[in-house]
Amino acid sequence: MKKYNVAIVGATGAVGEELFRILEEVDFPINNLIPLASSRSAGVDIEYKNKHYKVLELTENIFEEKDIEIAFFSAGGSISAHYAKFAAEAGAVVIDNTSHFRMEENVPLVVPECNPDDITSWKNTGIIANPNCSTIQMVQVLKPLDDAFGIKRVDVSTYQAVSGAGKAGMEELVSQMQDFFAFKLAECEPKVFQHQIALNVIPHIDVFMENDYTKEEMKMVNETQKILGRNIEVSATCVRVPVIRSHSESITIHFENDISVEKAVQALKDAQHVTVIDDPAKNEYPMPSTASDTDETYVGRIRKDINRDNVLHLWCVADQLRVGAATNSVRIAQKWIEMEG
Ligand code: A2P
């Protein structure tokens, strides 16, 4: 089997670190591994399969110099905006975890369980975009239900972990909890989040847009439509909660026709990388603690609307760093190898 020269841009970040773990777990066919980050991290040691690699500084030429064939980008939108083209020009397929290219018409936006065939248009620009973390877990659940019943509209409220804001977000929650136990929480000065996140809930992720939705909310709307290839109505409220690393979502789905809960559950049970945990009598439903450090998207609390036979409510949880970012990127790369490599 062919092995590839693989670069990880943002190797020292929360998603970057998870990427190394997943590539190792799936025994990704790597010839040479190149961890890249800012000059601040140059020389930092990364261990992969019991071998040690030094982080190199990201430069425009590094992709050509190292003959990179697959480049994972997870260092923020402005870094992708500047450097992705150098990787693509050097002949690499770029799998970009930022929002920068997602809505560009000629860039495929891929969740392999939903729209794997879109990968073929990677040739347009050399770039495949990885969707927003909240979108990925939601479309994994919507796709089998859409195939079974035809979705008309989706209303979602998210409960998003601080890992979505990278390592700095996780550190801010931990340090504020330490402040709480030292009776100093009132003095804390939020840096990453707009307000205190410890013991609080913030209905604000990313910036507000002119329509009073946040950018995060509009990502869920636009990306869902692009991935499912249909102009399904979507409305989202995105909320940051003091959870370290798994996002939860309460989703209400309106279908074209009346639905059967049994058939919906079966469609979800049959879906790839989706696990149903739904036994109210035993208090069983997914929670962030269920999902953290796993590669599954969990669904529970599946129930029909009290008033309408064509409306279903459910609860969905997935590890934001893995399913919502690194795992999906690796699954895209595996599919790309299968189809194009
Ligand atoms: P560094 O550690 O050198 O700052 P997170 O999402 O956890 O905040 O991580 C962000 C990742 O993006 C880190 O690996 C970080 O590297 C990297 N990064 C940030 N700024 C740059 C830059 N200017 N050039 C290359 N990598 C960067």
Side-chain angles (χ1 to χ4, degrees):
M1 189 190 190
K2 179 172 160 44
K3 294 189 171 186
Y4 297 83
N5 296 336
V6 174
I8 297 186
V9 180
T12 51
V15 174
E17 284 180 359
E18 214 55 45
L19 268 168
F20 287 107
R21 291 179 57 197
I22 295 164
L23 291 171
E24 186 161 350
E25 284 166 20
V26 303
D27 196 18
F28 198 84
I30 294 179
N31 177 45
N32 197 8
L33 183 60
I34 310 291
L36 300 168
S38 76
S39 54
R40 295 179 292 274
S41 307
V44 165
D45 188 76
I46 302 254
E47 198 179 330
Y48 179 82
K49 286 196 174 178
N50 299 322
K51 273 175 73 179
H52 291 265
Y53 296 81
K54 291 267 178 262
V55 173
L56 303 181
E57 182 183 352
L58 173 65
T59 62
E60 294 175 354
N61 299 329
I62 195 93
F63 303 99
E64 196 165 4
E65 276 168 28
K66 300 288 178 188
D67 194 16
I68 297 302
E69 297 166 287
I70 300 175
F72 294 99
F73 271 71
S74 199
S78 59
I79 299 297
S80 292
H82 184 80
Y83 289 95
K85 63 174 177 294
F86 295 102
E89 277 164 19
V93 56
V94 171
I95 299 170
D96 184 36
N97 195 46
T98 75
S99 63
H100 189 74
F101 297 104
R102 286 182 195 149
M103 293 314 295
E104 286 194 10
E105 212 175 314
N106 55 355
V107 173
L109 180 67
V110 177
V111 175
E113 296 85 349
C114 300
N115 60 336
D117 295 342
D118 288 357
I119 285 177
T120 51
S121 52
W122 77 280
K123 290 190 194 86
N124 294 341
T125 58
I127 299 167
I128 302 171
N130 192 62
N132 173 265
C133 42
S134 299
T135 307
I136 293 174
Q137 67 183 76
M138 182 167 82
V139 294
Q140 285 181 331
V141 167
L142 294 185
K143 172 71 175 158
L145 297 174
D146 190 34
D147 288 347
F149 305 112
I151 294 174
K152 227 167 61 181
R153 179 183 169 91
V154 176
D155 291 282
V156 55
S157 289
T158 68
Y159 304 66
Q160 295 182 224
V162 292
S163 56
K167 275 187 182 171
M170 295 191 275
E171 281 160 14
E172 185 148 304
L173 172 58
V174 170
S175 98
Q176 287 182 4
M177 285 309 297
Q178 286 165 341
D179 287 347
F180 169 73
F181 287 112
F183 302 101
K184 291 194 304 192
L185 186 57
E187 297 156 34
C188 84
E189 278 189 28
K191 292 192 191 76
V192 177
F193 304 109
Q194 299 83 358
H195 303 276
Q196 169 199 314
I197 184 62
L199 309 175
N200 201 13
V201 161
I202 307 173
H204 175 185
I205 301 179
D206 210 329
V207 295
F208 278 99
M209 319 267 299
E210 269 184 9
N211 65 0
D212 291 340
Y213 285 80
T214 63
K215 207 168 167 188
E216 183 83 354
E217 289 160 355
M218 293 312 296
K219 286 176 201 166
M220 291 191 79
V221 175
N222 297 325
E223 294 178 18
T224 299
Q225 293 173 346
K226 181 166 175 176
I227 295 162
L228 297 183
R230 299 212 299 115
N231 279 339
I232 290 170
E233 284 180 21
V234 180
S235 181
T237 303
C238 290
V239 181
R240 187 75 70 192
V241 295
V243 166
I244 289 286
R245 62 173 283 169
S246 282
H247 289 356
S248 306
E249 299 176 354
S250 168
I251 310 177
T252 295
I253 310 162
H254 299 247
F255 294 95
E256 308 281 356
N257 301 303
D258 290 354
I259 48 131
S260 125
V261 173
E262 292 68 33
K263 281 189 185 153
V265 169
Q266 196 54 52
L268 291 165
K269 282 185 174 164
D270 293 343
Q272 211 189 355
H273 302 133
V274 173
T275 298
V276 175
I277 302 179
D278 198 7
D279 192 346
K282 293 187 185 152
N283 299 342
E284 286 179 0
Y285 31 74
M287 296 171 286
S289 56
T290 319
S292 289
D293 225 6
T294 80
D295 293 312
E296 286 289 292
T297 291
Y298 297 87
V299 194
R301 301 294 322 277
I302 304 165
R303 62 211 190 276
K304 209 183 237 189
D305 187 69
I306 294 166
N307 299 299
R308 291 172 189 251
D309 288 334
N310 67 331
V311 176
L312 191 74
H313 303 278
L314 55 80
W315 173 252
C316 153
V317 188
D319 185 323
Q320 180 271 328
L321 291 175
R322 291 180 74 106
V323 174
T327 303
N328 198 66
S329 294
V330 173
R331 286 177 182 154
I332 291 172
Q334 289 174 311
K335 207 74 196 168
W336 178 84
I337 290 175
E338 204 182 298
M339 294 165 70
E340 308 280 326

